[in-house]
C-alpha cells in the first residue's frame, strides 16, 4: 500500500496519491527538479488543517510536509495540525527531517 504525498501551495493544496510507492530519496529534491517532484511544505497552520480536512476519510496513509517555521518551541502549531488529523481518524507514525521542513507520516487508526 503506497503512501500519498500532501504538499502546500499558494492558495490551496496539491494531493498526489499515486499507485506507485515513492522512492525514499524522492521526498525532497533540489530546486532543479520538475515542480511535480518538488516538496512544497505548508508554512501556514490553517492551510495544512484545511488540506487534512479535505482528505477522503477512507485514506489509509498520507504524508504531510510542514515548514520548519511552524516548529515553535511549545509545539502548539503542530498540535493544531495533528489534532485535525486525529479528529478525522489518522494518527502520526513518524517524521523525517529535510532541509527546511519535516515530512510527517500519518496512518488510519485501528
Amino acid at each position: 500500500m503506497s503512501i500519498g504525498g500532501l504538499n502546500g501551495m499558494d492558495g490551496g493544496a496539491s494531493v498526489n496519491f499515486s499507485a506507485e510507492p515513492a522512492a525514499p530519496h524522492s521526498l525532497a529534491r533540489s530546486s532543479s527538479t520538475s515542480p511535480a517532484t518538488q516538496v512544497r511544505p505548508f508554512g501556514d497552520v490553517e492551510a495544512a488543517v484545511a488540506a487534512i480536512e479535505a482528505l477522503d476519510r477512507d485514506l489509509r496513509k498520507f504524508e504531510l510536509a510542514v515548514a520548519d517555521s511552524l516548529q515553535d518551541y511549545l509545539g502548539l502549531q503542530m498540535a493544531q495540525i495533528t489534532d485535525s488529523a486525529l479528529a478525522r481518524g489518522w494518527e502520526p507514525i513518524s517524521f523525517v527531517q529535510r532541509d527546511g521542513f519535516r515530512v510527517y507520516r500519518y496512518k488510519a487508526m485501528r
Side-chain angles (χ1 to χ4, degrees):
M1 184 174 293
S2 67
I3 296 179
L6 189 57
N7 298 318
M9 291 175 42
D10 290 337
S14 171
V15 182
N16 176 15
F17 299 105
S18 66
E20 297 298 317
H25 64 280
S26 70
L27 290 176
R29 302 231 179 157
S30 71
S31 59
S32 64
T33 61
S34 69
T37 59
Q38 263 184 349
V39 174
R40 293 174 301 273
F42 285 98
D44 180 71
V45 172
E46 291 80 15
V49 168
I52 291 170
E53 290 176 352
L55 293 174
D56 182 347
R57 286 186 183 259
D58 292 332
L59 186 65
R60 304 298 304 155
K61 296 179 181 180
F62 70 93
E63 293 180 339
L64 181 76
V66 178
D68 283 346
S69 62
L70 293 183
Q71 307 298 330
D72 61 277
Y73 73 98
L74 289 177
L76 293 176
Q77 295 182 97
M78 276 310 302
Q80 290 176 297
I81 293 169
T82 302
D83 187 53
S84 68
L86 290 168
R88 293 187 44 90
W90 297 296
E91 62 186 340
I93 55 174
S94 67
F95 75 87
V96 177
Q97 180 69 50
R98 300 289 185 207
D99 188 24
F101 66 97
R102 290 181 181 177
V103 177
Y104 289 89
R105 294 183 177 116
Y106 292 86
K107 70 173 185 169
M109 290 188 256
R110 294 182 189 179

